[in-house]
Amino acid sequence: MRNLKLLRNLCSNALHGLGKPQCLSVRTDTGTVLVGSNLGITELDPQTEQVVNEVSLVGEAYLPEDGTGCIVGIQDLPDQESVCVATSSGDVILYNVTNNQLECVGSVESGLTGMSWSPDQELVILTTGQETIIMMTKDFDPITEVRIHQDDFGEGKFITVGWGKKETQFHGSEGKQAAHRKQVEVQSAVAWDDQRPRVTWRGDGQLFAIGAICPVSGARKVRVWNREGVLQSTNEPVNGLEQALCWKPSGSLIASTQRKPNKHNVVFFERNGLVHGEFSLPFDKDQVKVKELLWNSDSTVLAIWLEDLRSADEEPEDIQPNTYVQLWTVGNYHWYLKQSLHFGCDPEGQIVSLMWDPESPHRLHILRLGWQYLGYDWHWTTDRSIGEDSSDAANVAVINGDKVLVTSFRHTVVPPPMCTYQLQLSSAVNQVMFYPEPQKSNNLAVLTTDNRIAVYQHADDGGNQDSTQKIGGNGLKMCVTMPKLIKMYRIKSDEERRDKALTPMKLRLITWVKEDMFLALSQGSSTSQTVLCQLVTLSERESQEAELESRSPVTVDGHVISLCYNPKTQTVALELSDGQILKYLWALGSSEASVEPWKSTNGCLIQFPQPCVQTALCTIDGEEVVLGLTERARFFVNDIEVASNMTSFIVHDEFLLFTTH
């Protein structure tokens, strides 16, 4: 029952490298980004918005001068202190980052369509223009070369035990007619398919899968190979299979997408080629195309890169397609859409590459056509009401696309994806907030992708019959009051023109502090600064929708990763990425809002020994202190470590509740 909360976003607009960007890789040791373009390689530092290094591949004739060249793969190799680049013309190039030397380690006459390194970076797979696979060691010694399209199923071929004819076998719920049913002919790949093979590795590097267009049927087929280049299996015929392909690092499933007559699905294959589960995307059948699928390194989040499909009467000059990135998670065999990022339709804002960080599982890197870099750091959180008496329904809210699933644990305990009631929004949800005042703790606010905040309020008198939800099965039944939408706020933004590139989630860690006031964080004028502002309504309108405008901005040097509010003392504490704690000072009279370092009663500056992802405020012996919990279960009271095996905590008036491993 968790949601993904955005701890930090990094937007670098002042970057510019060689040519037009095409692909992306991350140097985890330096935090810089490697970008392959139609003219060369550029190393960027998003933190400083500086070009660290760039090397042209035109001078050595690896790429043509007219800009028609293409880099089909780029990979950082920290053990070799090099960057490996593969071009569509067939060259495999090593760029040494210490001495800035280029070396062509191999060339394929038929050209290259892709390059993929194993997770341990001991092997590299090259797919060629002749539809073959070349497997080499990290020193580029050839191991084998085989054709992608094989007639054989593979070593994992199923064995027929010969139990009679198909007509006499048991067919279960399908009935006897299943024995005489003809196999449906697999249709060719969709017209927008880029025809390129997709290579994806299992997390342990022992197996890899290749999805490619079959020359006979014209449809996509997925084949699984082992580390020695021996075919293991071929997927069962699947109609409407698309280009995206990604193996779950934990090794259980291979994800792809399938277009069915009435829906668009993400489908999963086992390593033996059989389909094992699916879920539907929240779009019409011919509304979007899936460009890529990407699992994060701990297999908990599946990112889907989508793009609007053009209608037949639209010319390329008329309009650019909208681009989206969705983050999906699974729990109790149910798939939840936790985050939806909309990037608009501006040509310069189109996504050219995205990838998960190989070391930080919840960090997502995105590169846009106009050399804009976006970095998102997510964290798991539980959104709950914080009341202190029996009037609080002990609500927990779960985001699922354009719905919020609310479970009132005071009334019923049901396993997800079941819930007490659900709230339907007009667009996808990004964040849920409960009101901090104990007397109105059941009220909640919902932030959606269209920069609106919907406020729901529970009726004090228990609500009328129309606002109640009956829960329970054939046994105990009871009515639960559902909240009513009382206000819709629109956050004033400068990105309201349709032709302007959108930057999703510019505001983060939005906190509800008063009935018509929110606190929010955004990036400052430089990437090393954070702005804390108040979102307030300027004037009441007769209509239901009001406008929220940013007021009293305070610039903080550093990256704020946590914000907590104490409704009893109206104290706001901020945590920087290095663990330093700041106190927010409200504007009083002629004084403007500001921040100052948090100090203990003896005047010492408070700083967590490690950055904490969950923080809270409470009073101990008359002193207000900051509580913090790290991702590795270390719990701090101010700068003192109290426990090292804590997984979660809740502050109460009289005591502290916590869970351990």
Side-chain angles (χ1 to χ4, degrees), residues 348-416:
E348 293 295 304
Q350 297 298 297
I351 296 176
V352 295
S353 184
L354 75 159
M355 64 174 292
W356 288 103
D357 195 275
E359 292 189 355
S360 299
H362 300 123
R363 178 173 296 167
L364 183 65
H365 305 273
I366 298 177
L367 182 68
R368 306 173 85 169
L369 186 61
W371 287 92
Q372 183 190 48
Y373 166 86
L374 298 171
Y376 295 95
D377 284 6
W378 307 93
H379 175 67
W380 292 110
T381 185
T382 301
D383 294 314
R384 60 175 183 85
S385 57
I386 53 177
E388 298 176 346
D389 54 30
S390 59
S391 64
D392 182 78
N395 297 305
V396 175
V398 177
I399 295 174
N400 187 18
D402 58 357
K403 298 181 180 66
V404 177
L405 313 181
V406 182
T407 301
S408 301
F409 280 92
R410 186 173 294 277
H411 301 120
T412 180
V413 179
V414 293

Side-chain angles (χ1 to χ4, degrees), residues 580-644:
Q580 183 182 352
I581 306 299
L582 304 176
K583 177 183 286 189
Y584 177 68
L585 303 178
W586 297 90
L588 295 174
S590 60
S591 63
E592 297 182 350
S594 61
V595 295
E596 67 177 12
W598 188 288
K599 296 182 181 180
S600 61
T601 53
N602 57 10
C604 295
L605 298 179
I606 299 302
Q607 181 172 355
F608 289 143
Q610 288 186 0
C612 294
V613 293
Q614 180 185 353
T615 58
L617 291 168
C618 73
T619 302
I620 301 177
D621 293 334
E623 179 187 358
E624 192 167 20
V625 298
V626 187
L627 310 179
L629 180 64
T630 71
E631 286 185 318
R632 297 188 177 274
R634 297 181 64 185
F635 180 70
F636 301 101
V637 177
N638 280 350
D639 53 359
I640 301 174
E641 183 173 358
V642 176
S644 59

Side-chain angles (χ1 to χ4, degrees), residues 354-629:
L354 75 159
M355 64 174 292
W356 288 103
D357 195 275
E359 292 189 355
S360 299
H362 300 123
R363 178 173 296 167
L364 183 65
H365 305 273
I366 298 177
L367 182 68
R368 306 173 85 169
L369 186 61
W371 287 92
Q372 183 190 48
Y373 166 86
L374 298 171
Y376 295 95
D377 284 6
W378 307 93
H379 175 67
W380 292 110
T381 185
T382 301
D383 294 314
R384 60 175 183 85
S385 57
I386 53 177
E388 298 176 346
D389 54 30
S390 59
S391 64
D392 182 78
N395 297 305
V396 175
V398 177
I399 295 174
N400 187 18
D402 58 357
K403 298 181 180 66
V404 177
L405 313 181
V406 182
T407 301
S408 301
F409 280 92
R410 186 173 294 277
H411 301 120
T412 180
V413 179
V414 293
M418 291 189 291
C419 60
T420 307
Y421 59 85
Q422 63 182 19
L423 305 175
Q424 178 68 56
L425 281 300
S426 59
S427 57
V429 177
N430 287 131
Q431 187 181 342
V432 178
M433 301 148 278
F434 283 92
Y435 195 63
E437 295 293 339
Q439 295 78 16
K440 300 180 179 179
S441 60
N442 294 317
N443 297 349
L444 70 158
V446 181
L447 172 69
T448 55
T449 55
D450 56 357
N451 271 347
R452 283 174 166 81
I453 295 180
V455 177
Y456 291 85
Q457 184 181 45
H458 274 264
D460 296 332
D461 59 357
N464 53 42
Q465 190 67 28
D466 296 334
S467 64
T468 59
Q469 173 78 27
K470 292 183 178 180
I471 58 175
N474 296 326
L476 175 65
K477 292 185 178 180
M478 60 189 309
C479 291
V480 176
T481 304
M482 292 182 61
K484 179 183 178 181
L485 178 64
I486 62 167
K487 201 70 176 178
M488 182 70 75
Y489 294 108
R490 184 175 65 90
I491 302 175
K492 191 174 182 180
S493 172
D494 58 353
E495 294 183 339
E496 296 178 355
R497 286 173 49 203
R498 190 169 185 268
D499 60 346
K500 189 176 180 65
L502 299 178
T503 302
M505 303 291 287
K506 290 189 71 173
L507 296 177
R508 57 186 174 89
L509 297 181
I510 298 179
T511 304
W512 199 1
V513 292
K514 295 181 182 179
E515 194 164 325
D516 56 354
M517 179 186 292
F518 301 83
L519 293 179
L521 297 172
S522 64
Q523 183 175 293
S525 56
S526 70
T527 55
S528 62
Q529 292 180 330
T530 304
V531 175
L532 172 62
C533 65
Q534 301 174 12
L535 299 178
V536 297
T537 54
L538 298 182
S539 60
E540 289 293 333
R541 298 181 179 179
E542 295 296 330
S543 62
Q544 191 184 41
E545 182 171 284
E547 192 172 77
L548 288 174
E549 188 166 295
S550 174
R551 287 296 178 93
S552 303
V554 178
T555 301
V556 180
D557 291 328
H559 298 283
V560 178
I561 62 172
S562 179
L563 185 154
C564 57
Y565 172 68
N566 188 343
K568 297 177 181 178
T569 61
Q570 295 189 349
T571 303
V572 177
L574 310 174
E575 181 199 359
L576 301 182
S577 57
D578 60 356
Q580 183 182 352
I581 306 299
L582 304 176
K583 177 183 286 189
Y584 177 68
L585 303 178
W586 297 90
L588 295 174
S590 60
S591 63
E592 297 182 350
S594 61
V595 295
E596 67 177 12
W598 188 288
K599 296 182 181 180
S600 61
T601 53
N602 57 10
C604 295
L605 298 179
I606 299 302
Q607 181 172 355
F608 289 143
Q610 288 186 0
C612 294
V613 293
Q614 180 185 353
T615 58
L617 291 168
C618 73
T619 302
I620 301 177
D621 293 334
E623 179 187 358
E624 192 167 20
V625 298
V626 187
L627 310 179
L629 180 64

Side-chain angles (χ1 to χ4, degrees), residues 122-413:
E122 293 292 329
L123 299 175
V124 59
I125 299 294
L126 302 174
T127 53
T128 71
Q130 292 182 335
E131 297 187 327
T132 62
I133 305 168
I134 300 176
M135 178 183 288
M136 295 187 292
T137 67
K138 64 178 182 180
D139 299 320
F140 301 99
D141 297 325
I143 297 177
T144 184
E145 181 176 0
V146 295
R147 293 183 296 109
I148 294 178
H149 307 289
Q150 303 278 334
D151 297 330
D152 189 24
F153 177 87
E155 286 189 343
K157 186 176 182 179
F158 302 111
I159 299 174
T160 302
V161 296
W163 287 352
K165 297 182 180 180
K166 183 175 182 180
E167 290 80 2
T168 62
Q169 291 176 355
F170 176 68
H171 297 284
S173 60
E174 291 185 331
K176 292 182 179 180
Q177 63 271 19
H180 306 283
R181 186 181 300 156
K182 293 183 180 180
Q183 185 175 355
V184 179
E185 184 178 352
V186 179
Q187 298 177 355
S188 300
V190 291
W192 54 263
D193 194 299
D194 61 13
Q195 307 292 308
R196 288 176 50 195
R198 295 296 194 280
V199 182
T200 178
W201 287 84
R202 198 169 73 175
D204 60 1
Q206 298 301 310
L207 297 169
F208 65 92
I210 296 183
I213 300 288
C214 176
V216 178
S217 65
R220 283 268 173 182
K221 271 194 175 182
V222 180
R223 292 178 171 87
V224 177
W225 310 72
N226 66 9
R227 199 176 174 89
E228 287 72 39
V230 179
L231 181 64
Q232 299 298 294
S233 62
T234 304
N235 76 297
E236 60 179 316
V238 175
N239 207 0
L241 195 64
E242 298 179 324
Q243 66 185 29
L245 191 72
C246 190
W247 201 319
K248 193 174 183 178
S250 62
S252 55
L253 298 171
I254 305 170
S256 186
T257 55
Q258 180 187 12
R259 194 174 296 272
K260 290 189 174 182
N262 59 345
K263 55 186 175 181
H264 200 174
N265 284 356
V266 174
V267 62
F268 302 101
F269 294 94
E270 298 177 351
R271 58 167 290 184
N272 58 12
L274 297 179
V275 175
H276 184 90
E278 63 184 14
F279 69 88
S280 297
L281 296 173
F283 297 97
D284 295 334
K285 183 178 77 76
D286 294 319
Q287 184 178 350
V288 297
K289 60 180 178 181
V290 178
K291 302 270 288 184
E292 297 292 347
L293 298 172
L294 298 101
W295 289 99
N296 70 332
S297 60
D298 65 0
S299 302
T300 57
V301 185
L302 178 64
I304 305 181
W305 171 14
L306 308 107
E307 191 176 276
D308 278 347
L309 276 175
R310 299 178 184 277
S311 60
D313 57 348
E314 282 181 342
E315 294 295 331
E317 295 80 14
D318 293 340
I319 186 173
Q320 290 293 325
N322 286 300
T323 308
Y324 317 90
V325 173
Q326 295 183 341
L327 304 184
W328 291 78
T329 64
V330 64
N332 206 15
Y333 303 99
H334 181 80
W335 282 90
Y336 299 85
L337 174 55
K338 290 299 183 183
Q339 291 290 339
S340 185
L341 309 178
H342 293 190
F343 291 87
C345 55
D346 181 69
E348 293 295 304
Q350 297 298 297
I351 296 176
V352 295
S353 184
L354 75 159
M355 64 174 292
W356 288 103
D357 195 275
E359 292 189 355
S360 299
H362 300 123
R363 178 173 296 167
L364 183 65
H365 305 273
I366 298 177
L367 182 68
R368 306 173 85 169
L369 186 61
W371 287 92
Q372 183 190 48
Y373 166 86
L374 298 171
Y376 295 95
D377 284 6
W378 307 93
H379 175 67
W380 292 110
T381 185
T382 301
D383 294 314
R384 60 175 183 85
S385 57
I386 53 177
E388 298 176 346
D389 54 30
S390 59
S391 64
D392 182 78
N395 297 305
V396 175
V398 177
I399 295 174
N400 187 18
D402 58 357
K403 298 181 180 66
V404 177
L405 313 181
V406 182
T407 301
S408 301
F409 280 92
R410 186 173 294 277
H411 301 120
T412 180
V413 179

